[in-house]
Amino acid sequence: MDNDVKTPKYNLSEEEEKKEIVRQYRALLRCLKPKLKPGHRELLRLAFEMAADAHQTMRRKSGEPYILHPIAVARICVEEIGLGVRSTICALLHDTVEDTDLTLEDIERAFGGEITRIIDGLTKIANVVDTNTTQQAENFKKILITLTDDPRVILIKLADRLHNMRTLDSMKREKQLKISSETVYVYAPLAHRMGLYTIKTEMEDLAMKYLEPDIYREIARKLAETRRERTRYINEFIKPIKEGLEKAGLKVEVYGRPKSIHSIWNKMKKKGVAFEEVYDLFAIRVILETPTEREKEDCWKAYSMITDMYSPSPERLRDWLSNPKANGYEALHTTVMGSQGKWVEVQIRTKRMNEIAEKGLAAHWKYKEGANDESRFDKWFTQIREALAQDVSSIDFLQDFKTSFLAEEIYVYTPKGDVKMLPVGATALDFAFSVHSVVGSKCIGAKVNHKLVPISHKLRSGDQIEIITSNKQKPHEDWLNFVVTTKAKSKIKDALKEEKRKVAGEGKYTLQRRLESIGAAVSQTNIEELTSFYKLASPLDLYYQIAVKNIDLKELKEDFQVLGDKLVMPKPAKPEPEIKHYEPDMNRASQKKENELIIFGESSDRIVYTLANCCKPIPGDDVFGFVSTGKGLIIHRTNCPNAARLMSNFGHRVVKTKWAKNKEISFLTGLKIVGLDDVGVIHKITNLVSGELKINIAALTVEAKEGLFEGNVKLFVHDKEELDELVERLKKLPGIEAVERYDTEAV
């Protein structure tokens, strides 16, 4: 998976191609063997032939026959997700309706309604009617609508996305960025929520390989370099555990695995440490073979023996045995101190729990059959169904879905002791709405663990909550700032709209009287004329603004003439100065050889662009352009905090951009420097920056505390090379611990 290894150019002959397709298809049948029943082979054969025939003339970007993609997706479904024959048929046919002449009717005739429904759920919407939304968001919403009827849709979609990520090398750079961002933003969290941890991890790693290639390569290199000593360390660590547990009569498998590159990078960012200081680079798994009725008992037994051998970190115990995650995940996690002062994470689970952790949703159903209780998955689906029933735009829905349904969850209790599941970050008000929308609307406060708290109080797992209501209370606009659940947001918005309608009623009456008094008709044309004159979105907004006295109707006479009974503007307002906006000409772009857009230099007079405030790009940074409405082109760094959201929601507005060499212009950027508060350290820094490297300093603030100092320097650089050289030189100064570039608006 190393980024340096490019996929060899595809060059199989027609004969070799046919053999390869048959070989892959046979491999798929081999993995399905245990699940095959009479008649299944014929159905699979039919699906394979229909797909091969439909995709016959198509090729992937790499040059290989397209049919290899559906076969690979079907294999992921079977081998890595644990799905069966029907899902395999759907995976083989998943792109046919969208990309070929096959129709849903053809599929229904051959395979019946169930398979057709799943394939329909996987077929992208070709054109979106609503202008406020985007194709990506609409398609995602469609997948979710089908998900709540048949979760296999999302599992096949995840397999499809994983295979696309694995074969992203042959795509253009902007396509790589867009697909990787979408993966990290929606699909990896979704895989996590479905309990598919291995797939989630691989998706994040692959996305990072394209979004932050340098850091990815660096961590991969360091992991490879330290592999031998890590293996030796793990083996020494495991030996006493295995011997001790077996002596106690437990059947056990113990093995170690390195953490993913993405999670190591997250840890480095979160804790602000270098690779060498991330101690739990690996996790140890202890997997017990034990009968269902003794599972909990044996896991705790193993836990107590391991923590006798190695000292545990008390705040790092995670007990998902007593309270499994919403996606069915059960395990005990603890972090213990091994030899050489290294922290090691130990995960204890049984064979059954391990299968659920590896195969998520699919395994969860396998074990659920026969059990009659409503699982947490089902509760989750019910919540998604409720959210889909609300009337919100697809982009808002995607945002809400991410915060409400893809976040980790907490468990809280009602006064009677019933458990409620809410996303991390949920407040007392979210809880009130989850009880009932009327309770939410009338909520004035809450008691958490018998103590009075405001409605914005953030909840923690294990809290017990009692809601206090009042009949005089009604929802306020600022409530939207501290709720995270979709249900609470949509109910508050509905109530505010209703309130607005009532107030707007008075405004409508006022406007009617005013129009009649100046001899104008209360017609739709006149009302639309006024709405656009005051630059408002709808007549409702117009009535509301009149009612709350933001619009003074006394000036109507001056602003308009009345001709007949029509309102007419007397003279055209001065035209606003014209700003040249950059609208990418897609046809011309595709004819251009490289489709590269030069930002600076000879074409800068033709293109209106601004540099994004959220990430402050400088020449040499890996960037993309975002076509905004009204501001022309905005340039963002590809690792900008907002990049994933923009590329996932508005991929169609992302333009490939490139810096032209221009040494005359300098850019403001910022560095954070941390080190030991030694005599003359500031002098050394300024001497290096201004004296040796001749870089202009815009501002310098230093805060020293208990022997350490933290300095923030704002400086003007010409490009990334200059900044990188400065960072390297600063790090070499004695006493300097860390030098980091700002990513936020702190500049």
Side-chain angles (χ1 to χ4, degrees):
M1 214 168 75
D2 189 26
N3 207 22
D4 293 337
V5 185
K6 274 282 177 206
T7 348
K9 195 86 185 97
Y10 183 83
N11 54 2
L12 290 186
S13 70
E14 202 175 324
E15 200 50 48
E16 290 168 326
E17 244 173 35
K18 279 182 184 154
K19 279 185 185 154
E20 178 63 11
I21 293 169
V22 171
R23 201 169 64 78
Q24 295 287 359
Y25 175 64
R26 285 199 181 130
L28 170 66
L29 287 180
R30 271 199 302 282
C31 355
L32 266 172
K33 207 168 184 185
K35 297 184 176 181
L36 289 178
K37 293 197 174 103
H40 278 167
R41 271 179 188 278
E42 291 72 22
L43 278 175
L44 285 162
R45 180 89 200 170
L46 176 61
F48 168 61
E49 282 172 356
M50 277 172 85
D53 194 40
H55 292 301
Q56 199 172 12
T57 54
M58 294 167 69
R59 302 223 158 237
R60 299 194 82 209
K61 283 274 187 289
S62 58
E64 65 182 31
Y66 196 88
I67 185 66
L68 290 174
H69 167 66
I71 297 174
V73 172
R75 276 187 73 174
I76 294 172
C77 287
V78 178
E79 289 177 296
E80 300 178 45
I81 302 179
L83 292 169
V85 175
R86 282 194 294 275
S87 303
T88 307
I89 292 170
C90 297
L92 286 170
L93 295 165
H94 78 271
D95 274 336
T96 52
V97 175
E98 190 183 320
D99 297 339
T100 75
D101 297 336
L102 262 185
T103 62
L104 285 169
E105 289 74 41
D106 298 332
I107 289 169
E108 184 148 16
R109 271 198 299 279
F111 302 103
E114 184 187 18
I115 282 171
T116 312
R117 263 197 312 281
I118 295 176
I119 290 169
D120 183 31
L122 289 161
T123 304
K124 290 198 184 91
I125 296 168
N127 45 359
V128 174
V129 186
D130 183 0
T131 49
N132 301 336
T133 184
T134 74
Q135 219 151 339
Q136 281 123 307
E138 277 293 348
N139 283 317
F140 190 70
K141 199 168 174 183
K142 182 183 177 192
I143 289 168
L144 285 171
I145 290 170
T146 330
L147 153 78
T148 54
D149 295 332
D150 195 325
R152 282 172 295 188
V153 171
I154 210 83
L155 297 174
I156 297 165
K157 185 72 201 162
L158 287 169
D160 177 38
R161 178 51 60 127
L162 179 62
H163 187 249
N164 283 335
M165 289 300 295
R166 285 174 179 172
T167 53
L168 209 51
D169 257 2
S170 39
M171 288 287 198
K172 281 187 177 160
R173 175 83 179 128
E174 62 264 41
K175 202 84 170 139
Q176 289 175 341
L177 289 176
K178 193 183 123 191
I179 292 173
S180 301
S181 297
E182 222 176 79
T183 301
V184 141
Y185 190 71
V186 180
Y187 290 101
L190 198 51
H192 179 84
R193 209 52 167 82
M194 294 291 174
L196 298 163
Y197 290 103
T198 355
I199 287 179
K200 168 221 175 198
T201 303
E202 190 180 342
M203 277 182 172
E204 286 175 338
D205 272 7
L206 285 166
M208 187 181 164
K209 175 178 156 183
Y210 295 103
L211 293 172
E212 308 208 38
D214 299 345
I215 300 166
Y216 177 87
R217 273 199 294 265
E218 180 72 357
I219 296 176
R221 184 178 62 75
K222 287 181 173 168
L223 277 176
E225 282 169 6
T226 56
R227 187 170 291 135
R228 278 177 68 178
E229 60 189 83
R230 265 202 333 267
T231 312
R232 194 180 312 121
Y233 186 86
I234 286 173
N235 291 341
E236 282 170 18
F237 182 89
I238 284 174
K239 206 168 168 225
I241 294 181
K242 201 168 164 54
E243 285 169 4
L245 294 177
E246 281 172 350
K247 207 177 276 177
L250 292 168
K251 275 182 82 177
V252 69
E253 260 183 79
V254 188
Y255 59 88
R257 57 170 192 94
K259 291 218 161 152
S260 74
I261 292 178
H262 186 267
S263 70
I264 291 171
W265 172 229
N266 266 351
K267 210 150 238 177
M268 286 162 67
K269 279 195 298 193
K270 211 182 270 172
K271 300 212 166 129
V273 295
F275 174 86
E276 291 67 27
E277 293 158 52
V278 178
Y279 287 128
D280 44 353
L281 286 173
F282 38 79
I284 303 293
R285 283 212 182 129
V286 176
I287 296 170
L288 305 165
E289 205 170 314
T290 187
T292 317
E293 64 277 6
R294 281 227 324 270
E295 281 188 336
K296 283 189 183 174
E297 186 189 329
D298 284 354
C299 285
W300 282 112
K301 193 171 173 183
Y303 168 79
S304 101
M305 291 179 70
I306 292 165
T307 49
D308 280 349
M309 294 175 208
Y310 297 106
S311 170
S313 158
E315 68 272 12
R316 295 284 301 158
L317 170 65
R318 299 281 179 271
D319 170 14
W320 285 301
L321 283 186
S322 322
N323 229 339
K325 288 189 178 186
N327 56 24
Y329 181 80
E330 293 171 80
L332 267 181
H333 289 196
T334 180
T335 304
V336 298
M337 178 63 82
S339 58
Q340 303 165 30
K342 286 188 175 163
W343 288 109
V344 180
E345 187 183 21
V346 181
Q347 303 171 351
I348 304 165
R349 4 170 141 147
T350 63
K351 264 218 148 100
R352 176 190 69 83
M353 295 171 190
N354 193 51
E355 194 179 343
I356 285 180
E358 300 287 316
K359 299 263 165 61
L361 192 58
H364 170 82
W365 263 307
K366 174 177 149 187
Y367 289 106
K368 194 187 115 177
E369 279 163 16
N372 52 12
D373 67 318
E374 189 196 20
S375 78
R376 293 194 161 157
F377 261 131
D378 299 330
K379 280 185 190 159
W380 189 60
F381 289 155
T382 311
Q383 288 175 341
I384 294 180
R385 264 187 219 117
E386 282 175 9
L388 285 162
Q390 309 295 334
D391 180 28
V392 285
S393 83
S394 298
I395 287 185
D396 288 348
F397 177 76
L398 189 55
Q399 301 291 88
D400 288 352
F401 182 79
K402 193 162 163 56
T403 49
S404 277
F405 297 120
L406 295 185
E408 283 285 329
E409 60 283 329
I410 56 171
Y411 298 98
V412 292
Y413 297 92
T414 66
K416 288 182 181 165
D418 298 331
V419 177
K420 281 221 172 272
M421 192 174 80
L422 291 168
V424 166
T427 56
L429 190 55
D430 281 302
F431 177 84
F433 275 102
S434 77
V435 174
H436 195 282
S437 46
V438 176
V439 176
S441 300
K442 299 196 176 305
C443 173
I444 54 165
K447 281 185 176 175
V448 171
N449 307 328
H450 309 292
K451 281 197 185 123
L452 199 61
V453 296
I455 55 178
S456 58
H457 175 82
K458 279 196 179 168
L459 303 174
R460 296 164 65 168
S461 251
D463 282 347
Q464 189 170 20
I465 304 121
E466 182 189 338
I467 296 297
I468 303 162
T469 59
S470 154
N471 281 331
K472 290 183 182 141
Q473 179 68 297
K474 58 184 179 189
H476 299 278
E477 188 102 28
D478 61 345
W479 282 16
L480 290 167
N481 301 332
F482 49 75
V483 291
V484 295
T485 55
T486 311
K487 183 177 180 182
K489 277 185 185 168
S490 61
K491 293 292 176 204
I492 294 167
K493 281 177 188 165
D494 287 351
L496 292 172
K497 259 191 209 149
E498 200 40 57
E499 189 59 31
K500 195 172 180 181
R501 268 200 196 92
K502 279 183 199 161
V503 176
E506 293 167 29
K508 189 175 184 179
Y509 179 62
T510 312
L511 177 64
Q512 283 171 346
R513 285 214 323 268
R514 182 74 186 126
L515 286 174
E516 283 160 7
S517 74
I518 62 169
V522 185
S523 65
Q524 197 180 344
T525 325
N526 281 348
I527 286 164
E528 279 172 5
E529 181 72 30
L530 285 168
T531 308
S532 68
F533 175 75
Y534 289 112
K535 295 188 170 55
L536 294 167
S538 67
L540 181 71
D541 288 338
L542 174 71
Y543 303 146
Y544 181 76
Q545 294 299 343
I546 292 169
V548 296
K549 309 257 187 302
N550 282 349
I551 290 177
D552 187 358
L553 292 178
K554 287 196 184 91
E555 293 164 9
L556 261 189
K557 264 271 183 30
E558 288 85 78
D559 294 330
F560 288 93
Q561 289 175 341
V562 181
L563 293 179
D565 59 0
K566 273 197 184 141
L567 287 179
V568 182
M569 301 261 292
K571 53 180 184 293
K574 266 190 214 160
E576 286 182 19
E578 189 191 349
I579 300 176
K580 288 182 197 165
H581 290 315
Y582 173 71
E583 292 296 339
D585 177 348
M586 292 308 169
N587 298 330
R588 203 176 68 214
S590 55
Q591 291 157 13
K592 255 168 121 179
K593 189 167 76 89
E594 266 297 289
N595 187 9
E596 301 255 76
L597 178 78
I598 310 294
I599 306 296
F600 300 112
E602 73 284 3
S603 62
S604 62
D605 52 345
R606 283 194 296 111
I607 292 164
V608 176
Y609 64 84
T610 38
L611 300 175
N613 245 342
C614 44
C615 55
K616 297 282 181 196
I618 60 172
D621 279 335
D622 208 350
V623 289
F624 65 91
F626 180 72
V627 182
S628 72
T629 42
K631 284 192 190 166
L633 199 64
I634 300 179
I635 309 301
H636 288 267
R637 280 158 59 186
T638 49
N639 59 358
C640 161
N642 295 318
R645 184 178 61 80
L646 292 175
M647 291 196 232
S648 305
N649 284 333
F650 308 100
H652 60 294
R653 292 211 213 149
V654 169
V655 185
K656 188 174 173 189
T657 54
K658 191 182 177 206
W659 299 100
K661 289 272 178 275
N662 190 339
K663 279 286 185 193
E664 287 77 67
I665 307 174
S666 52
F667 295 82
L668 185 64
T669 187
L671 291 177
K672 182 166 127 190
I673 306 171
V674 179
L676 297 169
D677 187 17
D678 200 1
V679 183
V681 71
I682 302 302
H683 176 66
K684 284 179 199 153
I685 293 171
T686 50
N687 198 26
L688 171 69
V689 180
S690 309
E692 291 181 41
L693 295 173
K694 306 275 184 290
I695 292 173
N696 271 342
I697 296 179
L700 171 64
T701 55
V702 179
E703 207 173 296
K705 198 161 60 182
E706 293 152 14
L708 281 183
F709 83 87
E710 190 176 292
N712 289 322
V713 193
K714 293 179 192 174
L715 27 83
F716 287 100
V717 294
H718 292 97
D719 54 31
K720 190 165 180 285
E721 282 170 32
E722 194 169 48
L723 184 68
D724 288 348
E725 187 193 345
L726 170 63
V727 169
E728 283 314 305
R729 296 275 295 271
L730 282 169
K731 281 181 178 168
K732 286 180 185 151
L733 290 178
I736 301 288
E737 277 293 299
V739 182
E740 271 175 25
R741 175 176 170 185
Y742 290 148
D743 269 350
T744 60
E745 295 184 30
V747 179

